[in-house]
Amino acid sequence: MPETWDAITQQEEQDLTNLMSEYDFAIKDAERFVDMLQQSLTDLDVANVETVMASEKGAVQLMNMLDKAVDEISKIDDRLGLYEKKLSTVADAVKIMSRKDSLIQIETANVHKLTDALENLLGVQDFSDEDIQLLQNSDLTNDNDRAACIQVANLLTQAVGVQLQPGMEKMAAIKQRRELLEQTQRSFSLRCRNFLSSKFVFHAEGYGEHFELGGNELPRHGEKITRPLLPFSPLCQWLKASSPGYFKEVCQAYVSQIRPIYAKEIHGFFESARLGVTKGAIAMPERRAAGSVSTLNTIRRDRQSMQTQAMSGVADNDPFSLKNSTREFRIRSDKIFDRVLGQIAPVVREEQLFCVNFFYSADEETIAGENASESTTGTENFRSSGLKHILAELFEPLDSEIKALIGHVKNVDSFTVLYLFVRMNEHTIAVQNYGSFLKDLFAGNLILLKREVDSYVSEVCKDINDYRPSRNRRVGILPFVNYFAEFSDEAEMIFDKSSRAVDLHRAYKTLVGAIFRGIEQCAAGMANDPKTPHSMIRLENYHQMQHIMGIKKLSALDAEKQEARKSYNAAKAEYEREYCGFPFERLHLFFERVDELRKRLAKDEDVQFQSDCSIIELRRLVREHPPKEVKRGLESLYKKIEKHLSEHSSLMQVIWHDIQTLVIGEYERMTKLIEICYPNSNIHLEFTVDNLLSFFTETAHPSH
């Protein structure tokens, strides 16, 4: 194996250098240097041995001290062992004592719990025979007895509803007592149900002998039915908490007694409203008793008679006129509809508050007291549909009667649905906090009326699409254009300040689009008619639409206004081009040929040397157009335009002014061409601009 060696450290290297520096010969005579080192090592060993021998006595003393320390440690170890043995016995005793204390505490707690449970059970179950007799035999119509019964019944409910500890229900005494309490509760629940049902029958029969039929107001039940029943509401409240089945039967009993009353009143009220729509407000000559067959039959006969008269008065039904029925009829219908809705809301509201207070149909905190009508908290926080179900059954005829009234008004005058739509929207907003039943009732009919409005607009659009003017007769302003003027005038009044103006704007756009298409269809159908040129149909009717939309400031129809203006200008230009010639037509044609020749010839003066445009031909034509002839031509043109236009049309002035501008412009053009193409010919037209202006004025305003 190769030798291994360790490198010396820096300190060892320094020491070795110092040693060798002391002996200069170390490098020259290594053996001598080694001998010297060996001698120094021997001297050191001798010194160490001498030192050890000198300290022998101290070493012996140290050994003795160590022996004593070992003896002391042994004694301490023995003592610690003894202590440990004694402590182990004490720990066992402490553990035993701790377990006994825990058991004592558990036992004490169980005793207390058992005592409390027994005391509670005995306290709740301690229901005296006097209390049972009170529930069975007390007078529920007496306020004091009824209050005592309610208090005892609540204690009975607590006793029956107490939760028993497991196993207690097997105890014979407790089992027997519980059966007695449950039987008592069932008996009192049945008694409450029968008592409340009898009260409903009593008040319904008493009210039924006095209620009025066919009046202008929907009767209230507060004085004769609901207010006398309110003192018995605690019985109903207890019944709901204790016997839900009997409570449901009580609700059904109330509905079965009150619903027929509402049905008769609502039917009579709406019969009166429908009759009022036909012939005006009904002033009943005298108050007539409920159930009076003669009263109802009289109303029905009057209604049938007035319907017959109303229908016979509109035999010739014009789809493009709002005059089939008067505005007075529409306003009267609107007022009656407003009154009907205004009567429905308070009656439903009153019944709703009674149901909340009496039946406690709301699962949240309920409203109590006569002043609760100003609050809606209890009626808005329902978790169930109990109240809505009761109201829906009580007022079942309302929805169908409202729809029947709407249908009745629509059959007489379909435009009136716009009035009803706006009025229904106002009442729907007003009842937003009156509970879900009334809100849903009005909202459903609002949707119906919105559909009726859309249907009405669709029917008008269909009539516009189907309309065709009679041939060989002057057309003039189309009837559906005049209809739009009537429609927009009355619709703006109806929807003034209404939140449903957007629906009116949508109807406007639909109608105007149909009218524009109808104008084009009518114009196309009259393309070859001798009485009214198709361009005149477009001209007059687009001008009228532009006028209607502008004068009524219908901002929602800005785009349609621009379209009407564009179509009007195009139709006017087409009509003037095709039918409005010049009163000097042969001169006009002559100078048209002059213009064509100027484009082909090198010089303008060369035109006079052409045979068909010679000076001689020009002189002849000038002589043929004296002022009298020009005036006669203007009069003939004016009469032709008058035949095409509808009577009293404002367009005559517009078209006549345009023709005047064209004629004077043509006169100036012809004069200029004479100067350019026939210089030094001394030819002048026999009429002047002043003559033309005078002719135009005299023709438009003839003296009689």
Side-chain angles (χ1 to χ4, degrees), residues 431-443:
V431 301
Q432 286 302 302
N433 296 324
Y434 277 22
S436 59
F437 170 75
L438 195 57
K439 180 173 64 177
D440 292 349
L441 175 68
F442 282 9

Side-chain angles (χ1 to χ4, degrees), residues 67 119 162 202 239 322 328 352 460 552 623 644:
D67 290 338
E119 288 179 354
V162 69
F202 173 77
L239 199 61
L322 298 183
E328 185 272 333
Q352 176 175 283
V460 173
K552 298 184 183 302
R623 286 195 302 270
H644 291 165

Side-chain angles (χ1 to χ4, degrees), residues 660-702:
Q660 176 180 303
T661 303
L662 290 173
V663 169
I664 292 175
E666 180 64 12
Y667 173 86
E668 293 174 349
R669 186 177 77 96
M670 292 188 300
T671 303
K672 185 177 180 180
L673 287 175
I674 291 173
E675 294 176 357
I676 294 173
C677 300
Y678 303 91
N680 303 319
S681 62
N682 198 25
I683 299 176
H684 301 283
L685 296 176
E686 296 186 6
F687 53 92
T688 64
V689 172
D690 291 337
N691 294 142
L692 291 175
L693 292 176
S694 176
F695 296 160
F696 273 102
T697 302
E698 292 174 2
T699 304
H701 304 286

Side-chain angles (χ1 to χ4, degrees), residues 470-486:
S470 300
R471 300 186 66 84
N472 298 320
R473 293 177 60 184
R474 186 164 53 184
V475 175
I477 303 299
L478 294 169
F480 50 78
V481 173
N482 288 327
Y483 157 82
F484 182 74
E486 295 180 34

Side-chain angles (χ1 to χ4, degrees), residues 214-479:
N216 289 326
E217 293 184 1
L218 198 57
R220 305 286 186 89
H221 293 173
E223 189 68 30
K224 298 179 181 179
I225 296 180
T226 58
R227 196 168 297 136
L229 288 175
L230 277 177
F232 306 106
S233 61
L235 292 175
C236 195
Q237 178 190 8
W238 177 85
L239 199 61
K240 179 183 179 183
S242 302
S243 301
Y246 285 147
F247 171 77
K248 185 176 180 180
E249 292 180 9
V250 168
C251 294
Q252 293 173 346
Y254 177 78
V255 171
S256 65
Q257 292 299 321
I258 306 302
R259 179 169 56 190
I261 297 176
Y262 274 127
K264 292 179 181 178
E265 290 176 341
I266 291 170
H267 182 69
F269 176 65
F270 276 89
E271 283 280 352
S272 176
R274 284 189 286 271
L275 188 58
V277 164
T278 306
K279 71 174 184 179
I282 307 228
M284 299 300 290
E286 58 180 339
R287 299 186 178 275
R288 298 174 180 175
S292 173
V293 177
S294 62
T295 302
L296 188 57
N297 289 339
T298 301
I299 292 176
R300 287 174 177 169
R301 285 196 303 270
D302 291 346
R303 176 170 174 260
Q304 292 172 358
S305 174
M306 296 310 300
Q307 280 183 335
T308 302
Q309 295 175 17
M311 296 307 293
S312 63
V314 290
D316 297 327
N317 189 28
D318 183 359
F320 300 124
S321 176
L322 298 183
K323 297 178 181 178
N324 295 324
S325 63
T326 63
R327 179 175 292 190
E328 185 272 333
F329 165 80
R330 294 190 283 273
I331 293 176
R332 182 175 72 248
S333 299
D334 176 46
K335 289 181 178 179
I336 291 176
F337 194 64
D338 182 33
R339 175 174 57 81
V340 166
L341 298 180
Q343 288 287 313
I344 289 173
V347 170
V348 173
R349 180 65 173 160
E350 181 183 63
E351 185 64 42
Q352 176 175 283
L353 290 174
F354 168 75
C355 290
V356 170
N357 290 326
F358 189 83
F359 295 104
Y360 287 85
S361 294
D363 290 333
E364 298 290 329
E365 181 180 356
T366 55
I367 302 172
E370 295 181 1
N371 297 326
S373 59
E374 300 300 324
S375 173
T376 59
T377 303
T379 60
E380 290 302 312
N381 296 322
F382 290 154
R383 292 179 183 168
S384 67
S385 59
L387 176 64
K388 186 177 180 180
H389 179 71
I390 292 177
L391 294 176
E393 289 191 344
L394 287 174
F395 296 103
E396 182 182 4
L398 270 181
D399 187 57
S400 59
E401 290 288 355
I402 292 175
K403 287 180 171 58
L405 178 59
I406 293 172
H408 175 76
V409 173
K410 177 188 172 184
N411 290 337
V412 178
D413 177 43
S414 57
F415 177 79
T416 312
V417 296
L418 275 74
Y419 283 87
L420 306 188
F421 172 63
V422 172
R423 191 65 62 192
M424 179 61 80
N425 179 66
E426 293 175 358
H427 284 272
T428 302
I429 294 174
V431 301
Q432 286 302 302
N433 296 324
Y434 277 22
S436 59
F437 170 75
L438 195 57
K439 180 173 64 177
D440 292 349
L441 175 68
F442 282 9
N445 284 281
L446 178 64
I447 294 173
L448 170 67
L449 282 167
K450 175 62 174 65
R451 291 173 179 167
E452 292 291 352
V453 171
D454 293 341
S455 175
Y456 171 76
V457 173
S458 298
E459 284 296 322
V460 173
C461 291
K462 182 178 181 298
D463 292 336
I464 293 173
N465 183 67
D466 295 340
Y467 178 79
R468 295 295 182 272
S470 300
R471 300 186 66 84
N472 298 320
R473 293 177 60 184
R474 186 164 53 184
V475 175
I477 303 299
L478 294 169

